[in-house]
Amino acid sequence: MAAVTAPKQDRSRATRQRLLEAAVACLAEHGWAGSTVAVVAERAGVSRGAAQHHFPTREDLFTAAVEYVAEERSQALRALPRRDRHEAVAALVDLYTGPLFRAALHLWVAASDEAQLRDRVTELEARVGRESHRIAVELLGADESRPGVRETVQGLLDMARGLGLATLLTDDRARRERVVAQWARLVNEELA
Amino acid sequence: MAAVTAPKQDRSRATRQRLLEAAVACLAEHGWAGSTVAVVAERAGVSRGAAQHHFPTREDLFTAAVEYVAEERSQALRALPRRDRHEAVAALVDLYTGPLFRAALHLWVAASDEAQLRDRVTELEARVGRESHRIAVELLGADESRPGVRETVQGLLDMARGLGLATLLTDDRARRERVVAQWARLVNEELA
DNA sequence: CGAAAAACAATCAAGCATGCCTGCATGATT
DNA sequence: AATCATGCAGGCATGCTTGATTGTTTTTCG
């Protein structure tokens, strides 16, 4: 952790927040290489100097952005409504098609080549992954003591990731819904 | 476009080939931003000037690399041996954990922000995707006339994509094999 | 109210990647 | 054999991004 300063100022906190939000938005829209500190700062409505004040280096900025994304995704996860299994599967998949996942995807790919980011990303992603699994089990009413159930849920989440990856290029919602419907059926039978 | 002429010189063809191979390897190892034309040229054992001679712009180089990767993946796909369903699922998933998929993944993410590349990538990926589906159906001995079978196979391929994406950061083979085993079972029951 | 500290803005220098251009070597054509 | 086209190598200039420095404004606290 770099920031030893506890943010007491409201304006400072707001600026920092806007920078992180802008960083995530830029990641989702322009990707890693396109998310220059100048671009992020402009989108946040502050100067590059301000950005540098809060995050001395570009790496600091996106390291913080990684944690921000992880926290946001975690919140989105906990906010899922609990309904029947089909709705649960659809809701889980939807989490992997939004801008947050898009930003996370760019971060993953970028982190796979930047040694510094990789550790942070893998660690946080493992945390979010475990939380996703836990919540998925809960939403689906799965009994993990039964053999195979754990792997069934994991595979379902991996499928959701794959669908999100496919959505990156072409947002074929119709196909997605058909696959979700069928896999919800499969999972439902397996968990019954 | 300058010389659309068929390459008559052997040396020229070899150089072009090595440049493409180097581009793919660099993509898998250093990602999009790290795959500078200088880096690619050095890995190919040629000068930057030679690289520029064959691919006037960096975009030309990676546009060609996209097609090269698509063709390689297509070949790897057709080379899959046909065994029982469990082996088939494992083989399909394996295709999404190698360097070719890794390179393709970097290309997808990069293409999602570069308008020029996007068209080429989506087009070629659609082709490879269809071929993947066709071969998967064949390997699994699936009867697509039955409702739900098509979506089952599609979801399986999406799961493979998701597993490959997860492998980008942490290569957890044990987890992958467990998931593959379980879902091979589920798919087998569904297709029976 | 005044001073210190923090937040913010703007400019500067350095590094790097791309694209262009020139020069040289090798193979093809007549 | 002569000439031309092609493949290849290296240097040059431009543009962009980053990180550092300096100056200005705002907030906080004595």
Side-chain angles (χ1 to χ4, degrees):
Chain A
M1 300 296 179
V4 193
T5 66
K8 314 151 200 165
Q9 324 271 28
D10 280 0
R11 186 175 58 145
S12 179
R13 277 175 60 108
T15 300
R16 193 185 160 92
Q17 177 83 357
R18 274 191 306 178
L19 276 170
L20 289 177
E21 288 174 358
V24 173
C26 285
L27 273 177
E29 293 176 15
H30 311 301
W32 175 256
S35 293
T36 292
V37 293
V39 172
V40 173
E42 187 185 8
R43 185 180 182 107
V46 302
S47 71
R48 280 164 291 187
Q52 189 163 18
H53 174 74
H54 288 277
F55 306 98
T57 162
R58 180 190 139 103
E59 189 178 317
D60 292 330
L61 171 60
F62 283 100
T63 299
V66 166
E67 309 192 9
Y68 184 76
V69 168
E71 183 55 34
E72 289 283 309
R73 294 217 306 145
S74 186
Q75 283 188 18
L77 212 53
R78 287 191 292 264
L80 286 183
R82 51 180 64 205
R83 305 184 187 164
D84 61 289
R85 286 201 176 120
H86 185 292
E87 296 282 345
V89 173
L92 283 171
V93 169
D94 276 346
L95 277 188
Y96 291 84
T97 57
L100 265 180
F101 174 79
R102 210 180 160 88
L105 182 53
H106 281 284
L107 281 175
W108 296 346
V109 174
S112 71
D113 304 307
E114 309 250 336
Q116 294 282 33
L117 274 180
R118 178 144 79 227
D119 301 334
R120 256 284 174 288
V121 169
T122 49
E123 177 192 340
L124 287 169
E125 185 50 29
R127 209 188 66 194
V128 174
R130 280 193 297 271
E131 192 165 11
S132 302
H133 184 83
R134 188 174 54 75
I135 291 184
V137 166
E138 194 177 346
L139 286 178
L140 295 169
D143 177 12
E144 279 202 306
S145 66
R146 289 171 49 195
V149 166
R150 181 175 183 79
E151 286 75 18
T152 301
V153 176
Q154 283 190 347
L156 180 67
L157 289 176
D158 285 316
M159 189 206 72
R161 252 191 290 274
L163 281 174
L165 178 54
T167 304
L168 184 70
L169 279 96
T170 58
D171 193 347
D172 190 344
R173 181 162 305 170
R175 181 187 88 94
R176 214 162 52 226
E177 287 175 354
R178 283 195 300 269
V179 172
V180 164
Q182 172 66 6
W183 273 59
R185 210 153 28 223
L186 287 180
V187 169
N188 190 48
E189 289 175 8
E190 173 68 9
L191 298 182
Chain B
M1 303 299 174
V4 196
T5 68
K8 311 151 197 169
Q9 321 273 27
D10 282 359
R11 184 174 57 147
S12 180
R13 278 176 60 110
T15 300
R16 193 186 162 91
Q17 177 82 358
R18 274 191 306 179
L19 277 170
L20 289 177
E21 289 174 358
V24 173
C26 286
L27 274 178
E29 293 176 16
H30 312 301
W32 175 257
S35 293
T36 292
V37 293
V39 171
V40 173
E42 188 185 10
R43 183 179 184 108
V46 301
S47 70
R48 295 183 284 275
Q52 187 161 20
H53 175 74
H54 288 278
F55 307 99
T57 161
R58 179 187 139 103
E59 189 178 315
D60 292 330
L61 172 58
F62 283 99
T63 299
V66 165
E67 309 192 7
Y68 184 76
V69 169
E71 183 55 34
E72 290 282 309
R73 295 217 305 146
S74 187
Q75 283 188 18
L77 211 54
R78 287 190 293 262
L80 285 183
R82 52 181 63 203
R83 305 184 187 164
D84 62 290
R85 285 198 176 124
H86 185 291
E87 296 282 345
V89 173
L92 283 172
V93 170
D94 276 346
L95 276 187
Y96 290 85
T97 58
L100 265 179
F101 173 79
R102 209 179 161 88
L105 182 52
H106 281 285
L107 281 175
W108 295 346
V109 174
S112 72
D113 305 305
E114 309 250 336
Q116 292 284 30
L117 274 181
R118 176 140 85 225
D119 301 334
R120 256 283 175 286
V121 169
T122 49
E123 177 192 341
L124 287 168
E125 185 52 28
R127 209 188 64 193
V128 174
R130 280 192 298 269
E131 194 167 9
S132 302
H133 184 83
R134 188 173 55 77
I135 292 184
V137 167
E138 194 176 347
L139 286 177
L140 294 170
D143 177 12
E144 280 202 306
S145 67
R146 290 172 48 196
V149 166
R150 180 174 183 82
E151 287 74 19
T152 300
V153 176
Q154 283 191 347
L156 183 66
L157 289 176
D158 285 316
M159 190 194 74
R161 250 191 292 272
L163 284 172
L165 177 55
T167 304
L168 183 70
L169 280 99
T170 58
D171 192 346
D172 190 346
R173 181 162 305 171
R175 182 188 88 93
R176 212 163 53 226
E177 285 176 355
R178 283 196 299 270
V179 172
V180 164
Q182 171 65 5
W183 275 91
R185 209 155 27 226
L186 289 181
V187 168
N188 189 48
E189 289 174 9
E190 173 70 8
L191 297 182

